[in-house]
Amino acid sequence: MIPTSLPDSLIATLPGSSYTDPGIFAQEQERIFETMWFCAVRSSELATPGAFRTVEVGRESILITRARDDSVRAFFNVCRHRGAKLCVEEAGEVKRAFQCPYHAWTYDLNGKLVAAPNLTKMPDVGRTEFGLVGVTTREWLGYVWVCLAENPPSFEEDVIGEVITRLGDVEAIEHYDIGNLAVGRRIVYDVRANWKLIVENFMECYHCATIHPELTEVLPEFADGYAAQYYVGHGAEFGEEVQGFTVDGSEGLDRIPGVSDDQDRRYYAITVKPQVFINLVPDHVIFHRMYPVAVGRTIVECDWLYLPHVVESGKDVSRSVELFDRVNRQDFDACERTQPGMSSRMYAEGGVLVPSEHHIGAFHDWVNERLGTPRS
């Protein structure tokens, strides 16, 4: 139980039910993931017209594709006839149209209804009116972001603004030219933990000395427990003997040309609420996207992005991938270790945050504000 009066060094966390109650998770799906900008897919996955991917955003399946005019389109993955799921595959490609496997209602890449059995005998059925229902999209940093809200919030304020808040300006991230990097490796993690535990873990480094020996060898200041995100504009400096952001500190790959001298040999971490983590180092970018699928389960897709010629040449990226893959697995193991404790009677009122974690309290306040339950 939490004492009624806490010392100034400690502040209270969310209660355990926030991580275990399916009703609270449903509210988060509705009021966070279905109303905010959600980073869905890498743009390069939609390289040609007709290429598509389906993703779960909140409680909805969303179909994302590239149209003939090279624009990205997103739709609710629901046939307008009887509600069947239009595409059941996670990814694929169609030549000209999407056809519902139930009654063969067919939609072009712009979502317009173009064919259906006996459709010519129903001249009053509007091809656009009964087309797929669209979802607002935006491309940035080489990813497609979608928003299910009828009136989406400002992308500049809610997404780009998060980067500015962390780095001080948007130019700092533009130096990495993320949109033009290539995916050198992707690893998908199935984490048996609530999405908020993963966000909280990424935001702090109080745990780094305990569970991240490889990371603290490369970034010695992390052993002191202060995460890079704790300070605006700060990037953690590589150790003196460290040559690159690799599992053994050996030399990395070709440096991204736009990276400034001030950014060289430094690591920057950015959280873009509600489900994106961006990690910047001189020769690559590590980009996480979370897909919360249940109150105690989260899918995390992690991309390692390099200069295109590095990927095309087949250069060995394994040492840089292994470093953060280990970090991910160590973090996710810690989150999975924590999830059962959220159901304990000992955590009914929550836990506490030490000074180097106090910024997580602002995240908790943000969650409560989104759900309409601000803390006293």
Side-chain angles (χ1 to χ4, degrees):
M1 295 179 64
I2 300 296
T4 54
S5 178
L6 289 175
D8 292 341
S9 296
L10 304 176
I11 62 176
T13 69
L14 294 171
S17 60
S18 181
Y19 305 87
T20 61
D21 186 337
I24 292 176
F25 180 69
Q27 291 180 5
E28 292 169 345
Q29 296 281 65
E30 177 185 358
R31 302 179 188 179
I32 295 177
F33 299 107
E34 294 175 16
T35 62
M36 298 185 66
W37 287 98
F38 189 99
C39 188
V41 302
R42 183 73 178 167
S43 297
S44 59
E45 296 179 74
L46 309 174
T48 58
F52 71 87
R53 184 166 171 192
T54 57
V55 297
E56 299 296 318
V57 180
R59 299 161 299 177
E60 300 284 355
S61 175
I62 303 301
L63 168 63
I64 306 171
T65 189
R66 192 170 295 280
R68 294 289 170 194
D69 63 1
D70 205 41
S71 64
V72 170
R73 302 297 179 95
F75 310 98
F76 286 90
N77 189 20
V78 178
C79 180
R80 298 298 306 282
H81 173 220
R82 295 270 295 282
K85 181 175 281 191
L86 194 62
C87 291
V88 296
E89 303 90 351
E90 290 186 3
E93 186 172 343
V94 296
K95 291 184 177 180
R96 292 183 176 84
F98 297 97
Q99 185 175 84
C100 179
Y102 192 5
H103 295 95
W105 279 40
T106 305
Y107 308 86
D108 68 14
L109 302 182
N110 294 316
K112 182 180 178 181
L113 177 64
V114 293
N118 305 316
L119 184 60
T120 56
K121 298 179 181 179
M122 298 177 282
D124 57 335
V125 175
R127 303 298 181 94
T128 300
E129 181 185 0
F130 286 90
L132 297 177
V133 177
V135 172
T136 306
T137 65
R138 179 77 178 261
E139 289 188 81
W140 190 55
L141 303 180
Y143 286 87
V144 178
W145 307 65
V146 300
C147 185
L148 276 55
E150 288 188 22
N151 298 300
S154 167
F155 189 89
E156 284 69 23
E157 293 179 9
D158 283 17
V159 178
I160 299 176
E162 291 263 50
V163 174
I164 294 173
T165 297
R166 167 66 185 93
L167 298 180
D169 55 54
V170 72
E171 288 77 14
I173 198 170
E174 290 175 348
H175 292 168
Y176 294 83
D177 196 22
I178 298 174
N180 289 316
L181 299 182
V183 179
R185 186 75 57 84
R186 171 175 290 171
I187 299 177
V188 180
Y189 306 87
D190 192 337
V191 188
R192 297 183 303 276
N194 183 270
W195 69 278
K196 295 187 296 299
L197 290 178
I198 299 173
V199 173
E200 293 161 14
N201 173 276
F202 185 73
M203 291 179 71
E204 54 93 357
C205 209
Y206 192 47
H207 68 277
C208 287
T210 307
I211 71 171
H212 293 321
E214 299 89 355
L215 185 63
T216 53
E217 281 289 323
V218 175
L219 305 174
E221 68 184 70
F222 273 18
D224 295 331
Y226 284 93
Q229 297 183 81
Y230 195 80
Y231 308 102
V232 176
H234 177 70
E237 191 170 4
F238 294 4
E240 289 186 9
E241 304 300 320
V242 171
Q243 294 180 297
F245 198 73
T246 57
V247 70
D248 55 4
S250 58
E251 185 177 1
L253 296 151
D254 294 356
R255 174 177 159 181
I256 299 168
V259 171
S260 68
D261 290 341
D262 290 342
Q263 293 170 317
D264 194 20
R265 294 183 55 78
R266 288 187 180 272
Y267 161 83
Y268 299 85
I270 308 162
T271 302
V272 180
K273 297 189 292 290
Q275 45 83 245
V276 170
F277 308 145
I278 306 172
N279 309 271
L280 308 172
V281 293
D283 64 327
H284 64 283
V285 171
I286 308 157
F287 204 103
H288 297 71
R289 286 164 289 140
M290 293 192 303
Y291 300 86
V293 294
V295 68
R297 182 178 174 225
T298 308
I299 303 297
V300 182
E301 280 194 3
C302 186
D303 291 341
W304 280 260
L305 307 171
Y306 303 86
L307 290 170
H309 75 261
V310 168
V311 176
E312 292 164 5
S313 67
K315 287 187 178 180
D316 184 8
V317 300
S318 61
R319 286 177 300 179
S320 58
V321 170
E322 184 176 353
L323 174 57
F324 226 84
D325 180 42
R326 288 194 190 185
V327 171
N328 284 338
R329 295 181 190 278
Q330 291 157 352
D331 280 338
F332 298 154
D333 177 72
C335 293
E336 291 182 341
R337 182 184 296 268
T338 303
Q339 182 67 33
M342 300 296 98
S343 300
S344 171
R345 70 185 70 179
M346 299 304 298
Y347 208 81
E349 297 177 18
V352 294
L353 300 169
V354 302
S356 63
E357 302 171 308
H358 280 190
H359 58 297
I360 296 176
F363 170 64
H364 292 167
D365 290 338
W366 174 84
V367 169
N368 279 322
E369 183 179 353
R370 299 291 307 191
L371 300 187
T373 56
R375 288 196 286 181
S376 57

